[in-house]
Amino acid sequence: MATQAAPTMTMAASEPVVDWDALAARARLARRTKAAVLYAFLIAVSLPIIVPYFWLVTIAFAAKTGVAETAVLWRSMAVVVPAVVGFWIAAALAQSRRQLWIGFAAVAVIAVFAFALLVGPDLHLGNFIFLWEPDFASVVRSRVGEVRGAVQFPNVWHAFGNSILIAGTQTAIVVTVASLAAYYLSRFQFPGRSSMLRSLLVLHAFPVLTLIVPMFLMLYWIGLLDTLSGVILVLVAFELPFAIFIMKGFFDAVPWDIEMSALTDGASRRQAFVSVVLPQVRNGILAVAVFTFIRGWEEYIFVFTFLIRNSNWTMSLYMYWVRDDVMGVDYGVVSAVGVFYLVPSLVLYMAAQRYLMQMSIGGVKG
């Protein structure tokens, strides 16, 4: 028996000893190293976007002498940069979701306290004078004297209402027409269907600014020049092709069996479209609506060209003339108008963020 057991003992003695603890430690180190590199990359590409917006807000609430006070900006950066790094370290070291939120909360509390201590005394609302003073430009100019060729500004709430009207009406028309057209292109076969699909991409491929002169003449001859309706008509015409193409992709991904089941159960084609198909493409409709609204909200070239009277100004024109008329006089007011201009887009994005993150190219979420 001793003679038979000897080879087994020799083979066991020759096998290398695996240090599982060392392997686990190396795996954890590699995972943390990759996470650190990833976070560093994300921070590096995010800072060029975050810092200008952060400085915009800081100048809007902190500028007192009409110019951007760099000391305040650097003090605010002395808070923000360590806070971002702190969030990064907390995310890298957290072993559970509870530790992650505790780390984030600790960093946020320290950052808020430091910001209140270093920047808080310089914050004020004086630069937002345009919100409650109808003739705010005269007040601003009185600080440095009359500006030659100054523009008489309309009430900012009037410009805000015009922008809401243009962006909202354009969004409603584009979403409605694009949904109906995309459903028809997705579900029905008819002569010229392929050519129409190709033309949608071709129409979106050319720079729309090349058509600004013909559009100007067309609006003039049909009597819509210097009207909000004319701008809405132009924006809808340029936004529809791409919206139809996007929505067609969502309708294509909705299985025909779902719609057929509704028709078999006695629903009409309209009822099946409204009650069965449209809910499946809800994320696509929401995405098209959000991006179309933002496109109309930030439109500048067409409103600058087609709107002449200041009673038809939108927020983009108001922002332009504040910069052009008051620039060099009060950077704080210019930044404050910029912050006010950003609010609707920010609110819209925050409200739709959850649905946009779930969006996939297709009507049925996997």
Side-chain angles (χ1 to χ4, degrees), residues 6-164:
T8 304
M9 295 177 61
T10 303
M11 292 178 59
S14 61
E15 291 180 353
V17 178
V18 179
D19 189 348
W20 296 105
D21 294 336
L23 288 177
R26 284 199 293 270
R28 287 194 296 270
L29 179 62
R31 186 175 68 252
R32 290 180 178 178
T33 302
K34 292 179 180 177
V37 172
L38 176 61
Y39 280 117
F41 173 76
L42 293 176
I43 291 174
V45 298
S46 301
L47 283 179
I49 301 173
I50 295 174
V51 170
Y53 282 107
F54 179 73
W55 278 6
L56 172 70
V57 176
T58 304
I59 294 171
F61 286 95
K64 295 179 180 178
T65 60
V67 297
E69 300 175 11
T70 55
V72 177
L73 297 180
W74 290 119
R75 287 204 301 271
S76 64
M77 287 295 294
V79 177
V80 171
V81 172
V84 173
V85 175
F87 285 125
W88 169 34
I89 295 175
L93 298 181
Q95 299 295 326
S96 64
R97 185 174 292 275
R98 183 171 179 271
Q99 293 182 3
L100 178 66
W101 286 113
I102 291 176
F104 280 0
V107 174
V109 169
I110 296 173
V112 170
F113 178 77
F115 191 83
L117 182 65
L118 296 177
V119 186
D122 294 303
L123 300 181
H124 63 95
L125 296 176
N127 294 322
F128 290 86
I129 184 175
F130 59 90
L131 292 178
W132 57 81
E133 176 57 60
D135 192 18
F136 84 97
S138 298
V139 178
V140 174
R141 291 173 195 138
S142 65
R143 302 173 185 172
V144 294
E146 187 65 22
V147 178
R148 188 175 183 181
V151 176
Q152 182 61 41
F153 288 87
N155 192 304
V156 68
W157 296 106
H158 188 77
F160 185 87
N162 287 342
S163 290
I164 290 289

